[in-house]
Amino acid sequence: MVIPAIDLQGGRCVRLVEGRADTATVFGDDPVAWARRWVAEGASRLHVVDLDGAFAGGPRHALVVGALVAAAAPVPVEVGGGLRDLAAVEAALATGARWAILGTAAALDPALLEAACVRWPGRILVGVDAADGQVAVEGWTRRVPLTALDLVRRVAVAGAAGVIYTDVHRDGTGRGPNLEATAALAAGAGLPVIASGGIAEVADLLRLAAIPGVVGAIVGRALYTGAVDLRTALAAVPA
C-alpha cells in the first residue's frame, strides 16, 4: 500500500521535519480537501495524525478527524496522536476510523496496550518511532530506554494488528527511508509492518516493497510537494 499522510496542526494540513513542531510547513487550511484528493487519486487507506494531540497528550482534532473519515469513506483511515488512554482510543474509533494508533501509550503502558488489543481486536496499530534505534515518545520529544525491536516484540505478544515504523531522523527530510533498520525490524516483528519516514521518490517505495514483512509505506511531504505522484506510485508498486 502507498498510504498518504495527513498531519493536523492548528486545524491545518502540515508536514514537520524530524517531528519538530517549529519546522512546520503548511500545505493547506482544508485537510478534508486533501483527503478527498488522495481518495480520488486512488488511495486505499489514509494515515491521519493529530500533531497537537501528540504534543499535548490528548486528542485535539476530533471534529476534523470525523470530517476526514466521512470524506474518505469507504476508504479506511488510521488515526493517531495523543491516544494515551482507553477513552481516547474509543473516541478515535468512534469517529469512524478503522484503526487507532498507539505510540507513547504502547511504549510506556504495556497494560493499556494489551487492554486495547483485547477490547478492539484487529483495530489497534502501534507507532514504533525510533531515533538511533531508541523509542521516542510524547510527540518524539523524549527517548526512553527501550529499543524499537523490543517494543515490536511486546506489540506482537499483545496482539496488535500491525506496526508503523518511523525513523525519526528521516521523517520529513526526503533523505530516503532507513532500509536497513526497516528490514531488521520487519524480520523480527512477526506481524505486518508499515514503513514511514524519508520517502522521496517512487524508487524508495519499490525498495521498501522488496522487504519481506513490509506491507505498506506512508508518504507525506513528497506527495504534497509533487516529488511523488500518487497515481504513478500506485501503478509502479506491486500490489
Side-chain angles (χ1 to χ4, degrees):
M1 296 177 289
V2 180
I3 308 170
I6 300 176
D7 287 357
L8 306 172
Q9 185 182 62
R12 301 177 297 180
C13 183
V14 308
R15 297 302 301 165
L16 307 183
V17 177
E18 297 183 354
R20 301 193 307 273
D22 61 351
T23 64
T25 300
V26 178
F27 285 100
D29 294 327
D30 189 354
V32 173
W34 280 110
R36 292 195 180 103
R37 172 175 171 176
W38 300 138
V39 169
E41 292 187 9
S44 61
R45 184 165 176 167
L46 296 181
H47 175 80
V48 176
V49 175
D50 179 347
L51 292 175
D52 293 323
F55 291 120
R60 294 293 185 271
H61 286 96
L63 293 178
V64 177
V65 170
L68 282 167
V69 171
V75 170
V77 178
E78 58 192 37
V79 175
L83 306 184
R84 310 266 169 93
D85 55 42
L86 293 179
V89 175
E90 183 172 34
L93 294 175
T95 65
R98 179 78 57 84
W99 302 275
I101 306 166
L102 296 180
T104 296
L108 302 183
D109 192 344
L112 187 149
L113 170 62
E114 292 176 9
C117 291
V118 169
R119 186 167 174 181
W120 297 286
R123 301 186 70 187
I124 302 299
L125 298 171
V126 173
V128 178
D129 309 316
D132 303 317
Q134 297 297 120
V135 171
V137 299
E138 297 170 358
W140 300 354
T141 61
R142 182 167 71 91
R143 298 187 201 182
V144 294
L146 178 69
T147 69
L149 188 54
D150 284 342
L151 177 55
V152 166
R153 289 171 177 152
R154 176 191 299 175
V155 169
V157 171
V163 301
I164 299 168
Y165 172 67
T166 305
D167 183 319
V168 171
H169 291 319
R170 301 294 181 102
D171 196 63
T173 67
R175 294 194 293 117
N178 188 332
L179 298 172
E180 182 178 352
T182 301
L185 187 115
L191 71 174
V193 173
I194 296 171
S196 177
I199 294 168
E201 57 184 357
V202 172
D204 289 330
L205 295 169
L206 294 172
R207 295 182 188 103
L208 288 168
I211 299 174
V214 175
V215 300
I218 294 167
V219 188
R221 184 178 295 271
L223 282 178
Y224 291 94
T225 63
V228 171
D229 176 78
L230 182 57
R231 288 191 177 97
T232 300
L234 291 169
V237 177

